[in-house]
Amino acid sequence: MPLIVVPTSQLLWMRVAALLFTCVAFSVAAHGAHLPHQGMADWCIFCWAFSFACTLLVLLVELFGLQARVPVSWSNFPITVACYAALLCLSASIIFPVFFLRHQQASETRDHRIVSTVFSCLAAVAYMGEVSLSKARPGEVAGYMATAPGLLKVCQTFLACIIFILISSPVTYDHHPALKWCMAVYCICFILSMAVVVLCVGEWTGCLPIPFSKFLSAYGLLAVIMYLTATILWPVFQFNKSYRRNDNSETIAASVITAINFLLYVADLVYSARLVFVSG
């Protein structure tokens, strides 16, 4: 029987802690929180369950030393999973108490929901700790996803998903061509950022017809210009009384997240340009 050596490190314990915290969060919520099977409740359960499953996969692969056999780049996959899990658990930690703890009377159901919220927050902190321990240090050779631009790509795609949720239920982008352009910006930039993530995790960057660094710079410049237009047009046409259909918090949130994503793309462009000039 082969001997399995389990490495003891801060990174290992961060992953084990995140695994336990997410397990408790969705188990308690499913057992006694009495959540409706729709909307935000399903989103929170998905956040915890997805993070748990991916962390368990990473732990099992490293436990059995299968890194060389999995069809992904192991220098990119774990930190990508950890970054997405941190954002998912953070979103669940905000959404869950807002939708399911406010105005809740003291009861066993409320206690279960409080426990899920606390462990969701702990899971988010654990995943943030894993990202901090895994990210590339100055002068260190690491996968692209462990660098600042790689982590920015994860944040960009995640925020784009939040925007899609906010503006699609109800649909708030179909009553003016400028708003349809904003929707196109969100979709195009999301697809390209996600394509970069997939190329790096799958180790397919060599399939591009141009050097990867130049592709990143060209795409970064395009995304900044496109997001700048969306950052200006979305609030102008959503809050103008001549075009506005309704005034709701989702529209305001979409405007704020659009502006945040624009700043992330600017930072990404700066890092990518430095990569081209330094390597070139």
Side-chain angles (χ1 to χ4, degrees), residues 215-239:
F215 168 77
L216 291 175
S217 293
Y219 157 57
L221 179 59
L222 175 65
V224 165
I225 295 172
M226 293 178 69
Y227 249 91
L228 177 60
T229 64
T231 303
I232 297 171
L233 293 175
W234 183 265
V236 166
F237 285 92
Q238 283 289 10
F239 299 124

Side-chain angles (χ1 to χ4, degrees), residues 86-167:
L87 294 169
L88 287 169
C89 289
L90 179 61
S91 69
S93 300
I94 297 171
I95 291 171
F96 194 77
V98 168
F99 280 85
F100 304 112
L101 273 180
R102 283 194 310 173
H103 314 303
Q104 183 77 22
Q105 300 294 329
S107 63
E108 186 176 349
T109 297
R110 181 173 180 270
D111 294 339
H112 280 80
R113 294 181 180 184
I114 291 174
V115 171
S116 290
T117 301
V118 171
F119 277 90
S120 179
C121 294
L122 291 173
V125 172
Y127 281 118
M128 290 176 190
E130 181 181 345
V131 171
S132 178
L133 291 171
S134 303
K135 69 179 183 180
R137 301 297 188 269
E140 180 183 357
V141 178
Y144 176 79
M145 296 307 299
T147 64
L151 296 176
L152 285 172
K153 294 291 188 304
V154 173
C155 295
Q156 290 161 6
T157 55
F158 181 81
L159 290 181
C161 290
I162 299 298
I163 293 174
F164 293 147
I165 294 171
L166 291 172
I167 67 178

Side-chain angles (χ1 to χ4, degrees), residues 12-154:
L12 171 68
W13 292 119
M14 280 293 182
R15 287 172 178 160
V16 171
L19 188 76
L20 294 176
F21 294 152
T22 51
C23 181
V24 172
F26 76 75
S27 297
V28 171
H31 173 69
H34 300 292
L35 300 173
H37 295 290
Q38 59 182 1
M40 294 302 178
D42 290 341
W43 169 256
C44 293
I45 295 293
F46 166 78
C47 290
W48 300 323
F50 177 83
S51 301
F52 171 83
C54 290
T55 303
L56 180 61
L57 174 63
V58 170
L59 283 172
L60 289 176
V61 169
E62 295 202 340
L63 179 66
F64 291 101
L66 301 175
Q67 295 93 324
R69 299 188 179 183
V70 293
V72 295
S73 167
W74 205 251
S75 62
N76 288 308
F77 181 76
I79 190 170
T80 304
V81 166
C83 193
Y84 274 119
L87 294 169
L88 287 169
C89 289
L90 179 61
S91 69
S93 300
I94 297 171
I95 291 171
F96 194 77
V98 168
F99 280 85
F100 304 112
L101 273 180
R102 283 194 310 173
H103 314 303
Q104 183 77 22
Q105 300 294 329
S107 63
E108 186 176 349
T109 297
R110 181 173 180 270
D111 294 339
H112 280 80
R113 294 181 180 184
I114 291 174
V115 171
S116 290
T117 301
V118 171
F119 277 90
S120 179
C121 294
L122 291 173
V125 172
Y127 281 118
M128 290 176 190
E130 181 181 345
V131 171
S132 178
L133 291 171
S134 303
K135 69 179 183 180
R137 301 297 188 269
E140 180 183 357
V141 178
Y144 176 79
M145 296 307 299
T147 64
L151 296 176
L152 285 172
K153 294 291 188 304
V154 173

Side-chain angles (χ1 to χ4, degrees), residues 237-267:
F237 285 92
Q238 283 289 10
F239 299 124
N240 190 316
K241 292 182 180 180
S242 301
Y243 304 104
R244 183 175 58 193
R245 283 187 176 177
N246 48 31
D247 186 11
N248 51 45
S249 57
E250 287 84 358
T251 298
I252 298 173
S255 300
V256 172
I257 296 175
T258 298
I260 294 173
N261 228 7
F262 167 67
L263 296 177
L264 293 181
Y265 276 106
V266 171

